[in-house]
Each structure stands twice: as structure tokens, then as C-alpha cells.
Amino acid sequence: MYFFPMTPWLMLICLILVPGPLNAQEQNLVYPPTKTVEQVDDFHGTKVEDPYRWLEDDVRTSKDVADWVEAENKLTFDFLKSIPQREVIQKRMTELWNYEKIGAPFKRGGRFYFSRNDGLQNQNVLFRQDALAGEAQVLLDPNSWSKDGTVALSGSAFSDDGRYVAYGVQDAGSDWNTWKIMEIESGKVLDDELKWVKFSGADWTPDSQGFFYARYPQPEEGAAFQSLNTNMKVYYHRVGTPQSSDVLAYERPDHPDWGFQLSVSEDGHYLIITVWVGTDDRYRIVVKDLTEPYGLPSELIDNFEHEYSFVGNDDHVLYFQTNVDAPLRRVIAIDLKKPARENWKEIIPQTENALDGVGIVGNMFVCHYLKDAKTQVRLHQMDGTFVREVEFPGIGTASGFDGRLKDTDTFYSFSSFALPTTTFQYNMITGESKLFRKADVKFNPDDYETSQIFYTSKDGTKVPMFLCHKKGLQLDGTNPTLLYGYGGFNISITPSFSVSRLTWMEMGGVLAVANLRGGGEYGEPWHKAGTKQNKQNVFDDFIAAAEWLIANKYTSSKKLAIQGGSNGGLLVGACMTQRPDLYGACLPAVGVMDMLRFHKFTAGRFWTDDYGSADVAEEFPALQKYSPYHNLKGGTQYPATLITTADTDDRVVPGHSFKFAAQLQACQSGTAPTLIRIETRAGHGAGKPTAKIIEEASDQWAFLVKTLGMEVK
């Protein structure tokens, strides 16, 4: 669902023939035969057929599934290779991608660290620097960990004294991580190896002798990529000891569905255990006093009613971002010596915009807000007094602002759809932003324009949408347009730079990004309006966005493509089954396509906060009504569709996409191609090497060029 970003290019364009829309019949597409099984499930008295249940089996262990994947991939790649523009698109995207990418620096243990990619490296490299003006040295280079670039750095944590870095290693895109330890000065990797870590980082104790982390038990043989994740436990690992000697710090065997996020306060006094049970921001809080070796963890918040995101502390006063009595969130202080709710103190009240995150840098709260899905950053003193707002250069997204209590400088990055990432050094005392680094991408940002409009959804709700395209666009209904959406899990979609999207716009395409309900753009009310029995609102919002683009002559149905990944893949699947007439092409990626069984695999059980569960009688009807797999109907002309997934996706298991593709091919009565592209040694998206990202995005754009009948400009 993340795309990075097509003019020496003009000469090549002149040689490209532009055929009309391509259909399956013209290509003589013959879909691989897919067997069906007699599988019928009973949901609260409703019988539901599942003829492709066998495609849920793991491709690593099932020869039948592996053979099906091989046959489908052959058909898909033969189709894609026949598109003459594909090679040119990939060449231009590679040219654009080949620029130096440097992340915002951060300081730990007296040194500066930053990530860098020289252009086409498969993985970013982590560098160390003793001073900002000093020589940078490679600290961790994941490109040396595998020949094909599929082993990635998944996280890092630095000891307070600057001696060690603990880091996570991710193989083939799996959510499973193995954590290791390096001695920074010598570059020596120690023997320590921590396995079966998922959804957890590491946080060091102030003595730098070890760190806390959380992990799951080792899965049964052959079940690592599909079994449910339960019984997470918190451990303390001491440097130089085997994992088998790790000290169990916290567990709740009476609640195997609970998970734990760990934070050691900056002063080293407390371990804050944030207990979560799903994807909703509803947490319990457990606190352990690290100055009391034999002290037991104690519950500060003993229910899952609200959000309590730990921000920092001042001795025994803990600060939290919360939605208690504040659906758009605020900052409160809880004194551990008098923790009763009547003693809580409001530090920063709720504003008219959604508070999206808070940090403490330079003895100030750095508050990230969303103002109509655009970044707003406001600084407050520790008593809550407003200091200033950070000024940004237009519509876009800012990230960074990392630091510690005593830091006087921090760094942040800013980007937008047609503005490559630019890094600034920010003085916390004066409020001055100084240009630090600017990406040098071989295009002219002034050739593009970005705007934001508000359209009306089915029930009258106003929904924001960003539009970006070349200047001078003619509103004549003929522009190829890519509509992207997500709409779930309180996740906000904000403007950001992407080489693949730039390529699309350079080809003459319009980019539209809709901020659907279900996201976090307007706080908890916006999120809840797109969950469970309200999930149809999300699809209505997306359909209304498509209708607005057509009504306002940006495009037409034949020239409109829709795209989304993960929960956004569900979005595309649901919208193409509900309104197959509305789009010319669909690009669902790693989508949740079987809404009746998603909770039975890996992390799926966490998503019931947003989706509900088919096991609950009152929630089943809504799920059945929009589940993409179950709502494909024979005799329907579906749009051209390129489904994408990966064999090591253990977040949304590939069986979702496999079953949807098989059913779609069986139901398709039109001539538009319905294909599935299955990547090998890749997962849900994180850690995917540059080469694979470029290849996949190039295939998607080539597919749209042919199926939308694009004239590449």
C-alpha cells in the first residue's frame, strides 16, 4: 500500500504505440483450472459456501496451492510482458528512483544516526556520526545480509551509554523478527539472538546492561506463517546471555489474547507496559518501578475503555495522550502517588483538530495534529502553555521531531505528493527551521499542482480528498485517474512523496487520495463511523469520491482505476463487487477478502475491533453483506483487475487473495482481464527490497496503461 515513486523520456514516448483498452479475449487468456470443494459453513443458521477453502493452505507445504500459484503467475507475467510500455515505464521509474535518500537524523548516546540509500540499494543503510559535520560511518547494512535484498532491518534501540545497539532482522517480509546486539564502537555483533519476536521493539534499562522486549512462544512446526498469535510475554534480556536465560517480567496467562508494548521512562525509573487487546486505541497501563528490584508491576489503568499513550514523565508524574472526555484527544498528567481519576490533571486540552501524537523534546511537548489531513505541529511548555506553531511550506506531511528532554535541536522531514522529502533542523529555543538536506529527484515540482476538495458522501457527510496532477489539466472527462483510499484502523492518510505516484502523474495520470471514514483524520468519531456495522460508510465514501471525479469531468468510468492495500485491498474488493460498472480497472493489494474467516489466521483476531466477527450473531450479517469473496456473482462484467499479494505475508495471509482471484475468474462474464500477481520471498510490504517495489509498481502502471487505454503523455 506504500508506493515510491516516470524527461530524456520524451524520445521514448514517441516510439510507443497506444492501443485501445485490452481485454482478456484479445489476449486469448485462459485462466488456470481451479478445483472446487464441497465446503459449507453454518453461521448462526445461515449456510455459506466456501468452494476455494483449499487455497487457504500454506504455499510452502501444499503442492496443490504451489502448483496453482505457479500457473497463475505464469499467466499474469506472460500478460504483463506482452505490454510494450512496461519496459519503458520500469526504466523511467528506476531513473527517478535513483536518488540519494537520507532520513532525518536522531541523537542517541552522544552520537547522531540516520538512514541512507544511495539510490537503488534494496535496503536502507543505518549510519553513525560522532558530530553533524563529522564523517559518517556505516553501522548496519542490511544489503550485506542476503543476496536478493529480502532481509531487512526492522527496528533498532540504542543503550543510554552509546555502547550497544539492539536491532531487529526481518526475513522475506515476515512479521517475525530476530533481534541481535552490536557493540557500536567495534562493530562486533554479539552472540545474543532473540527469536519469535513480533509486534515488539526493545527498550534498554539506564544501566545499559540489558533491555525489555516481548515475544510469543515458538509456534508449532509448519505453523509460523498462519497460526494465531497468542500468549505474548514480557522478558528482560541481559547482554551476553542466551535467550533461554531471559527473565520473565510480565505475563497474563489468564488473557492469552493480550499484547504488550514497552517503554522505559527517559530517567530510567519506570517500565510502562501498555496492554492492548486489538487494534483499537483502548489500553490498560501497568507500571513497574525499576528502582525496586523486587517490586511487582502494578496496574495504573485497569480497563480497556480509553486510550492512554505514554508520552513521558517528570519524576513520579506520568504524561499520557488520551481520549478520556476528549474524542479528538488531549494530554493529561497522572501522579503515581495519587493516581485516582479525580486527581488527574489536564495539561493540554482538546482542540478543534485531532491530536495524532505527542513527544517531549527540549522540555516542551511537541504535539502533532491533523488539520483536514494535513500536518500541524504545536509546541507547549511542560505546564501546557502554548509556545508556537511550526510553519511548513504548504500542504504536506511532517515527521520526525525526535529527541530527549535536554535537547535544544531536533530534525523533521516534510514532503507532499509532488515535493520530495526535505529535512530541516529545528531550534527548540528560537523556533527557527533551517534547511538541512533536500532530495534531488530528476523532475520539476513546479510542473505539478496539489489541491484539496471536499465532496459529499451518500449520507451527506463531507469527505476531504487530495488531487495532484500536472498543471494545465483539461477537465474533459478523459484523464486517466488513480483513486486511492484506506479507511480503517484509525490510520490517517496524509500527503507524501512517492516515486511510483510521480511516475503515474508524469505519464499524464491524475492522483486522487480520499480521506475516508474509518481513518483517524478527525479523531475517534471519524474512526468509529467506519467500523463494524458502520463499515459500509467507508465504501460509500469511496464510491462517492469516484462519482465526484466523474461528475466534475476529471475522468470517466472507463478511465478510472481504484487502488488500495491491506484494509485498502478490502476497500477495493468491496467497491468493485458493489459497483463493478464504476471503474475501468482495480488494483487490490494484500487485501482482507474473506470477512468471515479473517480472524482465524495470524494477526487477524486483532482486527475484530474494526470489523467485528462472524462468530458474533449480530455482527455476521454486515460482514457477509460486503465480504468481497462472498459477493462476487457469476454473470457479472467485472473491471480489469490485477490482484497483488506475496507468499510470506503473515499479516494478511495470501489465501485471502488466492480465494478472491479464483472466485473472480470463475464469475467474470466480461472480457476484461482478472489476474493475480504473487510475489515470492516478500510479505505484507515492510522490508520489501527496492527492486521488487519497482517491478511491482511498474507492472501495475503497465496494466493500467493497457486496460484503461492510456495515451502516455
Side-chain angles (χ1 to χ4, degrees), residues 264-568:
V264 175
S265 61
E266 188 175 329
D267 61 7
H269 196 147
Y270 302 105
L271 171 65
I272 311 299
I273 303 174
T274 302
V275 186
W276 48 269
V277 73
T279 55
D280 267 5
D281 295 326
R282 297 180 292 110
Y283 308 135
R284 299 167 73 107
I285 300 294
V286 175
V287 180
K288 177 175 172 55
D289 188 338
L290 297 178
T291 66
E292 298 288 342
Y294 301 104
L296 296 176
S298 61
E299 284 195 322
L300 179 63
I301 305 295
D302 63 359
N303 59 75
F304 286 112
E305 294 177 1
H306 296 286
E307 174 188 358
Y308 299 91
S309 295
F310 178 64
V311 176
N313 73 304
D314 180 6
D315 196 14
H316 50 81
V317 176
L318 307 186
Y319 300 106
F320 293 92
Q321 172 182 293
T322 185
N323 58 7
V324 173
D325 300 325
L328 298 183
R329 302 190 187 93
R330 59 180 178 147
V331 178
I332 63 170
I334 300 178
D335 190 333
L336 294 178
K337 292 186 176 180
K338 42 181 181 178
R341 183 164 175 169
E342 60 265 23
N343 298 319
W344 295 0
K345 182 180 178 182
E346 180 175 85
I347 304 299
I348 302 173
Q350 174 179 258
T351 72
E352 70 278 7
N353 298 317
L355 179 60
D356 199 42
V358 185
I360 299 178
V361 183
N363 283 302
M364 281 195 282
F365 290 106
V366 182
C367 300
H368 297 246
Y369 292 91
L370 287 173
K371 188 174 183 178
D372 291 329
K374 303 181 290 288
T375 297
Q376 180 188 58
V377 173
R378 295 164 58 92
L379 306 183
H380 294 258
Q381 293 178 4
M382 297 302 291
D383 64 1
T385 303
F386 173 72
V387 178
R388 73 179 79 93
E389 183 175 333
V390 181
E391 298 294 329
F392 298 121
I395 294 175
T397 300
S399 61
F401 293 97
D402 182 89
R404 299 298 177 101
L405 268 169
K406 296 182 179 180
D407 290 345
T408 57
D409 286 275
T410 185
F411 298 84
Y412 69 88
S413 296
F414 185 85
S415 69
S416 191
F417 297 117
L419 178 66
T421 302
T422 303
T423 302
F424 296 88
Q425 184 174 3
Y426 186 77
N427 188 297
M428 297 294 296
I429 299 173
T430 66
E432 178 189 10
S433 285
K434 184 169 63 176
L435 179 64
F436 187 72
R437 290 192 181 102
K438 186 176 182 179
D440 183 18
V441 186
K442 304 304 180 184
F443 85 111
N444 183 7
D446 292 335
D447 291 343
Y448 299 85
E449 59 181 320
T450 299
S451 60
Q452 185 181 43
I453 63 95
F454 292 81
Y455 65 91
T456 304
S457 190
K458 183 178 180 179
D459 63 357
T461 300
K462 293 293 184 181
V463 181
M465 178 163 61
F466 294 106
L467 300 171
C468 191
H469 48 76
K470 286 183 177 179
K471 290 180 178 177
L473 184 77
Q474 298 297 310
L475 298 181
D476 56 9
T478 66
N479 302 296
T481 298
L482 180 68
L483 172 60
Y484 175 86
Y486 186 78
F489 297 100
N490 208 26
I491 293 172
S492 303
I493 305 300
T494 59
S496 61
F497 183 70
S498 154
V499 169
S500 68
R501 286 174 169 174
L502 173 61
T503 304
W504 170 257
M505 294 186 292
E506 192 174 89
M507 292 162 56
V510 174
L511 173 66
V513 178
N515 296 106
L516 316 172
R517 280 175 285 185
E521 288 86 350
Y522 295 103
E524 192 64 3
W526 193 256
H527 171 220
K528 288 301 183 184
T531 63
K532 295 190 175 180
Q533 285 94 327
N534 295 323
K535 188 68 177 177
Q536 183 59 41
N537 287 336
V538 184
F539 313 137
D540 290 342
D541 289 355
F542 203 52
I543 289 168
E547 292 174 334
W548 186 95
L549 290 166
I550 294 168
N552 286 272
K553 298 189 181 303
Y554 277 85
T555 192
S556 64
S557 289
K558 292 182 179 180
K559 295 286 187 178
L560 175 62
I562 57 174
Q563 180 190 45
S566 193
N567 174 73

Side-chain angles (χ1 to χ4, degrees), residues 43 489 532 535 539 566-567 569-571 574 591-600 607-608 610-615 619-620 622-631 656 659:
F43 291 91
F489 297 100
K532 295 190 175 180
K535 188 68 177 177
F539 313 137
S566 193
N567 174 73
L570 159 63
L571 171 73
V592 188
M593 299 304 200
D594 184 341
M595 299 308 298
L596 305 186
R597 288 177 56 77
F598 70 85
H599 57 297
K600 297 182 180 294
W607 312 333
T608 57
D610 245 53
Y611 298 148
S613 170
D615 293 342
E619 294 174 346
F620 164 73
L623 289 164
Q624 185 192 28
K625 188 174 181 180
Y626 72 76
S627 178
Y629 171 58
H630 298 95
N631 282 279
H656 281 279
K659 291 166 63 175

